[in-house]
């Protein structure tokens, strides 16, 4: 296990889907690229603020899953708060921070054993 891939946090950023491209551009501006995006997420923020993709509760949100070194979490929070302050007041945006045991950026080359018998089965399954 390589030390450089330990001590990370996952930051889950919930934001109105209409702001998705704006947040992506912001990440480009700060040279941050370790994230994934889940679109069309229905959320309930309060009794009166719901994004359920219906006529009564229109809109959806998206979730950005950021992989951030533990030592950089406070700086990322500062960046995200600064970004949020640039948006109109009514935009819903929140952040959750979760522990991560480790990050494996390239599973193919990681020093993890392979189940050879299962590998053969899988390879043969797709060769017909």
């Amino acid at each position: 296990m390589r030390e450089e891939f330990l001590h990370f946090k996952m930051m889950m950023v919930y934001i109105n889907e209409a702001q998705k491209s704006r947040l992506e551009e912001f990440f480009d501006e700060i040279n941050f690229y370790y994230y994934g995006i889940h679109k069309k997420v229905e959320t309930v923020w309060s009794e009166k603020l719901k994004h359920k993709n219906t006529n009564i509760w229109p809109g959806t949100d998206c979730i950005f899953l950021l992989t951030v070194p533990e030592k950089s979490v406070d700086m990322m929070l500062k960046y995200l708060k600064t970004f949020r302050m640039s948006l109109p007041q009514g935009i819903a945006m929140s952040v959750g921070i979760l522990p991560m045991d480790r990050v494996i950026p390239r599973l193919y080359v990681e020093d993890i054993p392979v189940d050879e018998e299962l590998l053969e089965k899988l390879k043969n399954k797709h060769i017909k």
Side-chain angles (χ1 to χ4, degrees):
M1 191 174 337
R2 294 171 30 196
E3 182 66 27
E4 67 189 286
F5 297 119
L6 299 176
H7 311 293
F8 279 77
K9 298 284 185 183
M10 176 174 288
M11 299 179 76
M12 297 177 5
V13 179
Y14 293 80
I15 191 165
N16 186 288
E17 193 161 337
Q19 304 302 319
K20 175 186 166 291
S21 61
R22 205 174 196 175
L23 185 53
E24 288 175 296
E25 288 172 14
F26 175 71
F27 286 147
D28 282 343
E29 289 172 14
I30 63 170
N31 295 314
F32 180 77
Y33 303 104
Y34 241 23
Y35 64 89
I37 305 167
H38 295 271
K39 299 187 310 182
K40 304 283 183 223
V41 177
E42 296 179 14
T43 57
V44 177
W45 298 98
S46 69
E47 182 181 343
K48 296 182 181 188
L49 179 56
K50 300 176 183 181
H51 295 155
K52 303 288 283 174
N53 203 27
T54 66
N55 289 338
I56 297 170
W57 300 108
T60 57
D61 293 322
C62 59
I63 302 172
F64 283 72
L65 298 174
L66 285 57
T67 303
V68 180
E70 191 170 38
K71 65 182 185 237
S72 302
V73 167
D74 288 338
M75 180 57 75
M76 181 57 78
L77 284 171
K78 182 177 181 179
Y79 286 150
L80 290 169
K81 173 72 180 221
T82 303
F83 170 80
R84 174 59 193 90
M85 297 309 288
S86 75
L87 301 175
Q89 187 175 354
I91 302 294
M93 180 177 171
S94 66
V95 177
I97 302 171
L98 304 169
M100 293 179 72
D101 288 334
R102 66 177 166 166
V103 176
I104 303 171
R106 292 177 193 88
L107 192 57
Y108 189 84
V109 298
E110 188 71 16
D111 188 20
I112 298 172
V114 173
D115 182 324
E116 294 296 338
E117 186 177 319
L118 179 58
L119 178 59
E120 270 312 302
K121 228 185 245 185
L122 291 170
K123 284 182 175 180
N124 291 331
K125 178 180 179 180
H126 299 288
I127 300 174
K128 299 271 179 187

